[in-house]
Amino acid sequence: MSIADQTNSYDRLSEIKQFDDSKLGVKGLVDSGLTTIPRFFHHSPDTLPAPKPDPKTRPGYKIPVIDLSGDRAAVIEQVRRASSTLGFFQIINHGVPVSKINGLISAIKAFNEQPMEIKSRYYHREMGLGASFQTNFDLFQSKAASWRDTLQVRLAPMPPDLNYVPEVCRNEVVAWGEEVKKVGEELLGLLSEGLGLEKNKLKDLTCLDGRTMVNHYYPYCPQPDLTVGITSHTDPGVVTVLVQNEVGGLQVKYGEDDWVDVEPVPGAIVINIGDILQIMSNDEYKSVEHRVLANPLQEARVSVAVFFNPGNRENIYGPIPEIVSSEKPPIFRNFPLTDYLKRFFTKELDGKSLINYYRL
């Protein structure tokens, strides 16, 4: 059979469906001894990350690490500056015991490394239950799949049915839900004051009330030069609060085509601005593209992100009136949150096209 015939006979949708129905996940493929990744994981060469340049020639920019135990006025200014430029920063002395972070990471890792017959019970795409385990939420929409498995849990406003949260990590997921709420409240206060608003402004706009937990597991990839862990994208919500293990791979776009590593810092929590907060801040805060490289190491990368969203989806959102003036007119139009989320979840995870849709 010629190469052209092989190309024409390739049924991508059928292969994706067969993979999804198997409930193996990418970890299951690795465990089966696979040495070449399925074709639907192959990304176009022009979208793949370029090889890392020589460290001597790389930009010297590093993700800021902010100590929350410092002088409050100084902390607010550091948060404001980081949020207005790179859109990413890490926080330390945040009040969460390192043991709780490590325990959470270990529990999520333990779930993903269970035998397939146990893990596959949780594999489905029905988020109405409040929890689901799957490979790529956009598996059937994306041009190419990414090399990761994900356990997603809705934390608030409606808690999940805990029967659908795997028992091996259930207690840690529930406990993290409480810890991250406290972190989020402190963070939203700092971000509000950084905009010159009252401390509780973002909280009063229900930005603390909608919370979704996304637990990513990136196993070893036998062909990391052909795929990615997560494609370049921005987060749709207000802010994202993330913890990660020592295996790197998360990168943030800096400038036109440079990428900065978010190097793991023991006990630190990674914060990034989402699209909705960029809109609400009238472009003062920046939601920045980021990605995760495919993991070339035998040790898995594990990360846990909690997305904070407004709890009232029927409300109209746009630039906060108090920060708009004749000198700084609104540059985004108002929109119902339901419209925004519908657009996000019916397209593949890519770039920053959605926020520009609402730009005036």
Side-chain angles (χ1 to χ4, degrees):
M1 183 183 293
S2 69
I3 293 177
D5 289 338
Q6 289 176 14
T7 300
N8 292 334
S9 67
Y10 174 62
D11 188 341
R12 182 174 183 276
L13 181 59
S14 177
E15 187 172 328
I16 289 174
K17 189 174 186 310
Q18 183 178 7
F19 165 76
D20 202 49
D21 289 345
S22 75
K23 303 185 177 184
L24 280 170
V26 292
K27 177 62 164 62
L29 292 180
V30 174
D31 289 346
S32 72
L34 175 117
T35 57
T36 59
I37 65 176
R39 185 166 162 182
F40 63 87
F41 284 100
H42 292 201
H43 285 245
S44 171
D46 60 330
T47 65
L48 285 167
K52 283 190 176 183
D54 188 307
K56 295 176 184 176
T57 65
R58 294 193 75 199
Y61 201 96
K62 287 194 174 183
I63 303 298
V65 178
I66 301 174
D67 185 345
L68 294 193
S69 68
D71 172 75
R72 184 170 180 83
V75 170
I76 291 170
E77 174 56 23
Q78 290 174 59
V79 168
R80 185 204 65 76
R81 193 183 312 123
S83 302
S84 301
T85 52
L86 196 62
F88 263 77
F89 55 96
Q90 302 198 59
I91 57 175
I92 57 174
N93 291 321
H94 38 64
V96 181
V98 175
S99 59
K100 285 202 172 182
I101 296 175
N102 293 341
L104 172 68
I105 294 290
S106 295
I108 298 303
K109 187 172 186 287
F111 163 69
N112 281 277
E113 294 178 358
Q114 289 184 116
M116 180 200 154
E117 56 268 24
I118 297 175
K119 200 168 52 172
S120 63
R121 298 174 199 161
Y122 299 96
Y123 194 103
H124 64 86
R125 297 183 180 275
E126 298 295 328
M127 270 311 294
L129 303 172
S132 68
F133 172 60
Q134 58 193 242
T135 299
N136 296 200
F137 81 87
D138 61 345
L139 181 66
F140 290 90
Q141 289 84 37
S142 63
K143 297 181 183 68
S146 299
W147 199 256
R148 73 179 186 281
D149 295 327
T150 302
L151 172 66
Q152 182 168 320
V153 182
R154 182 188 61 227
L155 299 177
M158 184 187 299
D161 181 336
L162 290 179
N163 291 317
Y164 294 98
V165 179
E167 187 175 0
V168 70
C169 59
R170 188 177 299 158
N171 291 341
E172 288 80 4
V173 165
V174 171
W176 188 247
E178 294 303 313
E179 290 290 347
V180 81
K181 182 180 178 182
K182 290 183 262 184
V183 173
E185 185 165 7
E186 174 67 14
L187 182 65
L188 290 180
L190 294 168
L191 289 164
S192 293
E193 292 187 76
L195 292 171
L197 302 168
E198 293 292 327
K199 177 181 178 181
N200 288 332
K201 182 62 180 180
L202 289 172
K203 181 182 178 182
D204 292 343
L205 290 172
T206 76
C207 293
L208 184 66
D209 297 350
R211 301 187 298 280
T212 300
M213 181 180 191
V214 178
N215 307 280
H216 290 313
Y217 182 91
Y218 306 84
Y220 162 73
C221 180
Q223 294 179 300
D225 55 328
L226 297 180
T227 190
V228 296
I230 291 185
T231 54
S232 177
H233 68 284
T234 58
D235 291 344
V238 179
V239 292
T240 302
V241 176
L242 176 140
V243 291
Q244 58 183 341
N245 69 349
E246 69 282 358
V247 178
L250 175 59
Q251 295 185 326
V252 179
K253 195 171 187 179
Y254 177 59
E256 288 299 315
D257 52 12
D258 287 323
W259 290 86
V260 181
D261 294 318
V262 183
E263 297 177 6
V265 175
I269 297 176
V270 180
I271 309 296
N272 69 277
I273 304 300
D275 288 351
I276 289 178
L277 186 53
Q278 178 168 344
I279 293 171
M280 294 173 73
S281 71
N282 204 36
D283 239 8
E284 175 64 27
Y285 293 156
K286 300 295 189 285
S287 172
V288 178
E289 286 186 54
H290 50 286
R291 68 189 183 192
V292 176
L293 305 179
N295 181 17
L297 307 176
Q298 292 297 327
E299 180 67 21
R301 170 178 167 80
V302 181
S303 68
V304 176
V306 175
F307 301 109
F308 284 75
N309 294 287
N312 191 335
R313 296 191 171 194
E314 303 306 317
N315 276 7
I316 301 297
Y317 290 87
I320 297 171
E322 291 93 321
I323 61 176
V324 172
S325 66
S326 56
E327 292 79 26
K328 292 185 177 180
I331 60 175
F332 297 101
R333 57 190 171 89
N334 294 333
F335 56 89
L337 185 61
T338 48
D339 178 73
Y340 180 91
L341 294 175
K342 180 181 178 182
R343 291 180 185 280
F344 178 81
F345 286 108
T346 53
K347 73 180 191 69
E348 68 173 315
L349 196 62
D350 69 330
K352 198 174 179 177
S353 58
L354 191 55
I355 195 171
N356 292 326
Y357 177 82
Y358 296 98
R359 198 178 289 273
L360 290 171

